Amino acid sequence: MKILTFGEIMLRLKTPENLRILQAQDFEASYGGAEANVAVSLAMMEDPVAFVTKLPDNPVGLAAHNEIRRFGVDTSGILKGGERLGIYYFEKGTNIRPTNVVYDRAYSSFAQAAPEEFHWEELLKDVDIFYFSGVTPAVSEGIEKAVLEALKYCKEYSIEVVCDLNYRGKMWNTGKAQEVMRELMNYVTLCIANDEDFESSLGIHAFDGDMAHGIDQIQTYKAGMEEILRQYPGCKAVASVLRNMRTVEDGDWMGIYLKDGKFYESPVHTVHSLEAVGAGDAFAGGLLHCLAHGFSPQKTIDFSITASVLKLMIQHDFNVVNEADILKVMKSHDTNLQR
């Protein structure tokens, strides 16, 4: 099955050695972005996957293009033009100091793209699954319209649509997010909702904001997942990551999956993370891989959460692990990451 992801890839500038942005004299450069991260996860697992975005026709845009292409992602649908690549500054937290991200993505090539530039009848030809996250329609009104047009095409031609709600308060407010995402959810067949996503994106209560006790709220998460399926009958399944975070690095992680009226729960994984970025995208990549290969619901949630926690031990945005790596950890009896 071929998968297409649609979103923005950015230049990531990270401070060295846990320095704050205010202290940094230099930055480590890499590339990443929600849908690009998911595309690389799928390519690493040898799934046919394409990524669509718009990049500036300059050396920085070419570097971003080459970075995702070298993992085996089909980049033939990427548009060229505009003035700049979006940037995000990454300041890694530690212990009780939270991680911080500063966006510099306004007026990027992708944000300035017009919806009519994306020819979905060509881009979605032979595609079985279309993936986007809530980050993408938040980029601009033009991209919001482009997403809606893609979803309408998917519905007309029976293409599965997977959406990670992925609310970003630095990009839009809850009122706008709910207005947009409630409309887009009418086209979604599988939804990922984590933590504040339920309420911020859809106005459905599931989580009280206490990251130290996310897993302890599993019953309200389940009620929220059931409410999503009730409100959006075209959506057939919902997945979620639950966490009890003791510090920025240390916590317990698990996944739950609601499909065909039944909940499936993964084991709880106790982890110490190296870099807590991209774990949600890794979860989405794992879920899409399982969907494409017809994994059972229980194996789907076990596989997806394992992919997610493995990303916590990998620097930069991309989850550079393959299926064998994930299955090995799932079957391991020598670590806390056991099935």
Side-chain angles (χ1 to χ4, degrees), residues 117-129:
E117 293 183 69
F118 300 98
H119 302 294
W120 296 114
E121 68 282 0
E122 298 173 11
L123 294 170
L124 288 166
K125 184 180 180 181
D126 300 323
V127 168
D128 301 289
I129 303 170

Side-chain angles (χ1 to χ4, degrees), residues 113-187:
E116 57 268 20
E117 293 183 69
F118 300 98
H119 302 294
W120 296 114
E121 68 282 0
E122 298 173 11
L123 294 170
L124 288 166
K125 184 180 180 181
D126 300 323
V127 168
D128 301 289
I129 303 170
F130 177 76
Y131 174 84
F132 75 103
S133 80
V135 173
T136 297
V139 167
S140 70
E141 290 188 2
I143 295 300
E144 173 195 327
K145 185 177 179 182
V147 172
L148 180 59
E149 290 174 354
L151 298 190
K152 288 179 177 179
Y153 186 93
C154 288
K155 185 172 184 178
E156 183 178 356
Y157 291 94
S158 301
I159 297 169
E160 295 282 327
V161 175
V162 179
C163 172
D164 182 348
L165 294 175
N166 212 1
Y167 175 75
R168 290 290 181 267
K170 293 184 178 182
M171 297 183 68
W172 55 3
N173 58 41
T174 57
K176 179 62 174 177
Q178 289 174 20
E179 175 191 339
V180 173
M181 296 308 296
R182 282 170 170 165
E183 180 179 13
L184 299 182
M185 275 295 296
N186 291 309
Y187 301 89

Side-chain angles (χ1 to χ4, degrees), residues 35 50 54 65 72 76 111 129 138 149 164 168 178 194 199 237 243 269:
E35 292 81 4
K54 185 174 182 180
H65 192 156
S76 60
I129 303 170
E149 290 174 354
D164 182 348
R168 290 290 181 267
Q178 289 174 20
N194 301 322
E199 196 142 9
R243 298 173 287 175
H269 304 281

